[in-house]
Amino acid sequence: KTRQRSEDTGWLSPQPGGQLLQSPYRQQLIGALWDMCSMSRQAFVDYVQAPIERYAGLVQELPASESHHHAYRGGMLDHGLEVVCYAMRLRRQHLLPPGASPEEQTAVGELWTVAILYAALLHDVAKIIVDIEIHLISNRRWHLWHGPIPEPYRVRYREDRDYHLHETTNLLLAQQILSPKTLDWLYSEP
């Protein structure tokens, strides 16, 4: 009942990341990712699906832009998933790391795959800090460092946004999406 009332007045209700990913289109994109990865189902869940769920929980139903691409409710999540799928299609065309022996490429290939996946997923996440303000129904402003959005919210684009800050803040947000186990795995290969 609270959700219905808040949505009727323009407030968006936060949802778990897994729930936000349940649309047929988003499930299709995740299925495509599974098809492009050559890891076990458990590794896919741990290193691909779980970070994507955390990303979904973070970006909620935010648009990807104010008036350009994906400027609709949930556009940030759709855009992130689409860019990841595109990056994975490109990744499949390359043997990585470049110049390494076939044995080394086999040994660390999936690590390079997820590194590319994370870079693609995180490429626009700084918009949450730089471009928009999120106001809660309790009349407080939410910031990323407060954790998940706790209550119904509204989005407002900042007039004074600085697009150059995207480059410097994306990495700060990686820890919100990638687990310590994932970061340890990434840093195992220079």
Side-chain angles (χ1 to χ4, degrees), residues 40-104:
S40 71
R41 175 54 83 178
Q42 189 58 53
F44 182 82
V45 168
D46 291 345
Y47 295 113
V48 177
Q49 192 168 334
I52 288 173
E53 283 185 22
R54 286 190 291 277
Y55 174 83
L58 186 65
V59 302
Q60 289 293 314
E61 295 186 87
L62 302 175
S65 67
E66 184 174 18
S67 58
H68 299 295
H69 69 88
H70 298 82
Y72 57 85
R73 183 175 166 176
M76 179 79 109
L77 181 53
D78 290 345
H79 176 59
L81 291 171
E82 290 167 5
V83 169
V84 168
C85 285
Y86 183 71
M88 289 300 93
R89 283 193 294 275
L90 291 175
R91 191 282 179 246
R92 291 179 60 177
Q93 298 172 17
H94 300 278
L95 295 173
L96 297 173
S101 69
E103 295 80 14
E104 185 181 355

Side-chain angles (χ1 to χ4, degrees), residues 151-162:
E151 57 190 69
Y153 62 96
R154 284 187 178 161
V155 177
R156 184 175 74 88
Y157 276 85
R158 297 173 53 128
E159 305 260 338
D160 63 343
R161 55 190 178 256
D162 179 354

Side-chain angles (χ1 to χ4, degrees), residues 25-52:
Y25 178 63
R26 292 172 182 162
Q27 285 296 301
Q28 177 186 359
L29 292 172
I30 292 170
L33 288 174
W34 165 246
D35 291 342
M36 288 185 266
C37 291
S38 59
M39 54 181 61
S40 71
R41 175 54 83 178
Q42 189 58 53
F44 182 82
V45 168
D46 291 345
Y47 295 113
V48 177
Q49 192 168 334
I52 288 173

Side-chain angles (χ1 to χ4, degrees), residues 92-160:
R92 291 179 60 177
Q93 298 172 17
H94 300 278
L95 295 173
L96 297 173
S101 69
E103 295 80 14
E104 185 181 355
Q105 289 173 337
T106 299
V108 297
E110 285 310 309
L111 179 61
W112 279 73
T113 296
V114 296
I116 291 167
L117 184 147
Y118 301 148
L121 186 65
L122 295 169
H123 86 280
D124 255 354
V125 76
K127 289 182 176 187
I128 296 171
I129 294 175
V130 177
D131 294 0
I132 61 173
E133 292 179 358
I134 297 177
H135 298 272
L136 303 177
I137 201 167
S138 63
N139 206 26
R140 295 180 297 138
R141 187 163 166 211
W142 176 85
H143 297 281
L144 182 68
W145 48 87
H146 294 157
I149 298 174
E151 57 190 69
Y153 62 96
R154 284 187 178 161
V155 177
R156 184 175 74 88
Y157 276 85
R158 297 173 53 128
E159 305 260 338
D160 63 343

